[in-house]
């Protein structure tokens, strides 16, 4: 009697409950995925549309004819490839500096006992809570007094001294990672006569590659997408892609004047979407190539600590 | 020299760059902007000359400035409304992704995508060209239903419908945090609960949620700071706009940023009080 009931329950689970739950989960995930992708899909399709398609209400997703005019114009107005190069070096240099220095700082905090250590750690975490705007004005004053505005130093110097974008997160990430590595390695190296810096780059660095990759990738992305500080400190001379996009409409009006009243030069959705697409494409391609590192990195580094 | 002293010195050597950087690029600008907000700045041949004006700019921000109060309250309201939505949403997605799914990697790739491409101007362009309004919510019954009830109750819901895509787009890092947290919960707890006859629903409330609570706090703080620093919000645009005002350069922006900072700190404080770990002294 009991057996019969149990067999029935198992079969009920196998045939009805599990597939139903799975289906619901997939539907929800795909639905959310659609919401995620919608702006991107919209951007891609409308950037290939001609003016006629854009104003035609019957054309929704598929353009009646593909045109590359939008991209050609957007490319010109965005000052590609100069702005792409600006973006690359203004994000790679601070990201490299940040990946290196946060590792050194975390090594100091992880492996040494010194007075006021807890105080520095708390202070470091507190810096994360300060929004960019609070120090925005005075950072500008500071760098213009030092005559460093519009140079790469304006972002590189804070980064190399551990004050880059969200440095606290990276230091914490390394700190957790180093704390997981056994201290026996360091001690063995020390007995063999290595100094602390040798321990750092011969033992710590090779073992913490995942943490380094994670830090570098996130740092790169955040520096690339940062516009508030860089707009103020680099904005006049070194125009990165997002900054070009910010001023896109104004610049377009200058480059393609509509003074003669012709509709041909008027800015439209297609051109603006093409510009947006050009802006996000470099990082998008990078992301698709390095997606494993991106998505799994945080888990492998155990950012979440104990 | 004793070994401990030598070690301590080495430790300080590694932390020293941060201490210097903190002094020059964080602490100094931080307090200097507080100082500037009480002064009027004049550019002279000798550099910057400051005259004390007291609370003038703080009062000006709320009394005289036509745009700032509205921008300020709107920004705060957006942060207060978006944060819980982002947290709830990312927790749900993380729980769904934590199961054995066939296309798990693909979904993770998809949900993390916005973190890579979101920057102020990109979002601004997408919103300006209606790419971020997924479907016209006004066509649906539920939206109209919420429009019928009084504004104070329905506002959060209408806000959610109108900004759905943006809320989703700001959840990438939070989803990853939650996933990492969920994977730390050992499956043996769930097995034990199952033997005791608990179903999924009970397990969520009694096991998952209590164990994930510290991550909720971390994520809430992250979300608030992230939203507060986002380049597009109206407060940030007013701060950058007023930077070089002829009659009040720097100071007024500094005052605005300190008003904003204080408000963000209050929100963070409330969040901390809500989600902090209470020490249970019961045996």
């Amino acid at each position: 009697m009991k057996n019969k009931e149990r067999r029935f329950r198992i079969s009920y689970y196998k045939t009805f409950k599990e597939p139903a739950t799975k289906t619901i989960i997939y539907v929800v995930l795909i639905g959310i995925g659609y919401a995620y992708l919608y702006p991107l899909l919209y951007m891609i399709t409308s950037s290939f549309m001609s003016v006629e398609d854009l104003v035609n209400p019957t054309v929704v997703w598929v353009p009646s004819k593909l045109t590359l005019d939008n991209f050609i114009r957007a490319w010109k107005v965005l000052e590609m490839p100069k702005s792409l190069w600006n973006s690359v070096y203004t994000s790679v240099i601070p990201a490299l500096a940040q990946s290196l220095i946060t590792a050194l700082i975390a090594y100091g905090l992880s492996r040494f006992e010194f007075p006021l250590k807890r105080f520095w750690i708390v202070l470091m975490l507190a810096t994360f809570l300060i929004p960019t705007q609070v120090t925005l004005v005075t950072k500008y004053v500071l760098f213009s007094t030092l005559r460093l505005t519009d140079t790469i130093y304006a972002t590189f110097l804070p980064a190399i001294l551990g004050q880059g974008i969200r440095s606290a997160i990276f230091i914490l990430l390394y700190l957790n990672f180093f704390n997981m590595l056994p201290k026996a390695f360091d001690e063995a190296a020390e007995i063999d006569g290595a100094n602390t810096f040798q321990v750092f780059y011969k033992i710590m660095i090779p073992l913490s590659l995942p943490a380094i990759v994670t830090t570098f990738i996130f740092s790169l992305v955040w520096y690339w997408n940062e516009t508030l500080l860089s707009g103020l400190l680099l904005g006049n001379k070194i125009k990165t892609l997002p900054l070009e996009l910010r001023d896109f409409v104004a610049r377009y009006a200058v480059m393609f004047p509509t003074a003669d009243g012709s509709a041909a030069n008027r800015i439209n959705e297609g051109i603006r979407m093409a510009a947006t697409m050009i802006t996000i494409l470099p990082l998008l391609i990078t992301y698709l190539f390095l997606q494993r590192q991106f998505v799994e990195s945080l888990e492998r580094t155990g950012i979440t600590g104990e | 020299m004793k070994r401990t002293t030598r070690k301590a010195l080495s430790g300080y050597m590694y932390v020293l760059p941060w201490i210097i950087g903190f002094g020059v690029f964080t602490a100094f600008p931080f307090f200097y902007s507080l100082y500037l907000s009480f002064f009027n700045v004049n550019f002279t041949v000798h550099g910057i000359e400051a005259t004390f004006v007291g609370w003038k700019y703080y009062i000006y921000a709320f009394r005289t400035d036509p745009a700032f109060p509205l921008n300020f309250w709107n920004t705060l309201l957006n942060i207060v409304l978006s944060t819980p939505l982002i947290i709830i949403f990312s927790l749900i997605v993380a729980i769904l992704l934590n199961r054995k799914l066939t296309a798990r990697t693909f979904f993770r790739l998809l949900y993390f995508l916005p973190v890579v491409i979101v920057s102020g101007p990109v979002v601004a362009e997408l919103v300006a060209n209606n790419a971020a309004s997924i479907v016209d919510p006004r066509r649906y019954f539920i939206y109209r239903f919420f429009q019928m009830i009084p504004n104070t109750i329905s506002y959060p819901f209408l806000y959610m419908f109108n900004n759905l895509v943006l809320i989703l787009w700001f959840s990438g890092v939070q989803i990853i945090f939650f996933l990492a947290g969920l994977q730390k919960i050992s499956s043996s707890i769930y097995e034990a609960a199952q033997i005791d006859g608990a179903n999924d629903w009970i397990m969520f409330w009694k096991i998952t949620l209590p164990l994930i609570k510290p991550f909720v706090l971390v994520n809430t703080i992250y979300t608030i700071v992230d939203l507060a620093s986002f380049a597009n919000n109206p407060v940030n645009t007013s701060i950058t706009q007023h930077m070089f005002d002829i009659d009040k350069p720097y100071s007024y922006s500094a005052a605005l940023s300190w008003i904003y900072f204080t408000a963000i700190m209050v929100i963070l404080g409330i969040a901390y009080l809500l989600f902090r770990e209470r020490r249970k002294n019961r045996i």
Side-chain angles (χ1 to χ4, degrees), chain B residues 61-77:
Chain B
F62 286 105
R63 286 275 173 81
T64 329
D65 192 324
F68 180 74
L70 193 65
N71 287 344
F72 176 71
W73 295 119
N74 277 346
T75 305
L76 289 193
L77 189 65

Side-chain angles (χ1 to χ4, degrees), chain A residues 177-237:
Chain A
F177 198 86
F178 290 158
N179 286 342
M180 286 193 300
L181 297 175
K183 286 210 164 120
F185 293 155
D186 320 19
E187 282 154 11
E190 213 177 331
I191 288 162
D192 288 345
N195 62 30
T196 53
F197 188 72
Q198 277 170 324
V199 172
F200 173 73
Y201 84 91
K202 288 225 161 112
I203 293 168
M204 292 304 210
I205 290 286
L207 285 175
S208 53
L209 265 178
I212 296 169
V213 170
T214 306
T215 304
F216 180 72
I217 284 178
F218 273 81
S219 184
L220 184 81
V221 166
W222 282 335
Y223 267 104
W224 185 289
N225 286 330
E226 211 280 328
T227 52
L228 197 64
L229 254 180
S230 56
L232 201 61
L233 299 177
L234 318 169
N236 305 326
K237 288 265 176 5

Side-chain angles (χ1 to χ4, degrees), chain A residues 250-264:
Chain A
R251 287 192 47 86
Y252 183 88
V254 173
M255 284 177 81
F256 297 97
T258 49
D260 53 347
S262 65

